[in-house]
Amino acid sequence: RTFDMLKFRNIKRALVLLAAIPIAISIIDYIIVFVYGILYFGLFGEPSIDTDLGVNAGSGFFEILILFLVVAVLAPITEELMFRGYILDSVQRMHGDKVAIIISSILFGIVHIFGGLYLVGATFLGGLIYGTIRVKTDSLLPCIASHMIWNAFALIVTYL
């Protein structure tokens, strides 16, 4: 079933799933995480986020390219297959849409614990958004594309 959610079916659907929805989701996600950041800062102070991914200003092109491929391409594909594909689908069959979205989002947040508690919350919120889109579209494509946009933007902001 997970692989069925990766099918384009037709060109119009592919454009909607890979461009229109991901752009809209990304904008919504950035706004929600911005508000979350303000609330987090107000309640707990400045978040401590571990941004050390093994590259720095002295890293070579090849090292940066590999990091980009892993973080902005491979990680979104594997994480979306796991959390919005396999886990969400499995929980959904037993407990319905809402519980499946929440459980998969909690697990998605927990996986990001090594980035700090702020990141756990931000990824949980992203998981809620991606999970809702996956259930509404019955496709993993907009989730993967949105996740790629998010991770690429995070890399650019972190390392520029």
Side-chain angles (χ1 to χ4, degrees), residues 30-110:
Y30 293 136
I31 291 168
I32 289 171
V33 170
F34 179 75
V35 171
Y36 164 71
I38 291 170
L39 292 172
Y40 187 97
F41 184 82
L43 293 171
F44 306 110
E46 187 173 345
S48 118
I49 301 172
D50 183 5
T51 59
D52 183 12
L53 296 175
V55 298
N56 56 42
S59 296
F61 173 78
F62 185 71
E63 293 166 312
I64 294 170
L65 177 65
I66 295 296
L67 175 71
F68 184 82
L69 289 174
V70 168
V71 172
V73 178
L74 295 177
I77 292 170
T78 57
E79 288 178 350
E80 293 306 318
L81 286 171
M82 176 60 77
F83 293 99
R84 258 61 68 190
Y86 179 73
I87 292 173
L88 191 143
D89 221 32
S90 297
V91 176
Q92 186 181 35
R93 276 182 261 152
M94 294 185 288
H95 301 289
D97 294 346
K98 290 179 184 176
V99 172
I101 292 168
I102 292 167
I103 297 288
S104 64
S105 299
I106 289 169
L107 294 172
F108 184 57
I110 290 170

Side-chain angles (χ1 to χ4, degrees), residues 25-26 28-31 33-34 71-72 76 118-119 122-123 130 144-156:
I25 291 172
S26 295
I28 292 166
D29 199 1
Y30 293 136
I31 291 168
V33 170
F34 179 75
V71 172
Y118 172 81
L119 188 60
T123 54
Y130 298 161
I144 292 169
S146 300
H147 199 151
M148 286 178 170
I149 292 168
W150 179 270
N151 283 13
F153 186 73
L155 280 175
I156 290 166

Side-chain angles (χ1 to χ4, degrees), residues 126-142:
L128 291 175
I129 295 167
Y130 298 161
T132 301
I133 295 303
R134 207 294 277 158
V135 166
K136 297 287 185 194
T137 63
D138 200 33
S139 176
L140 285 169
L141 297 173

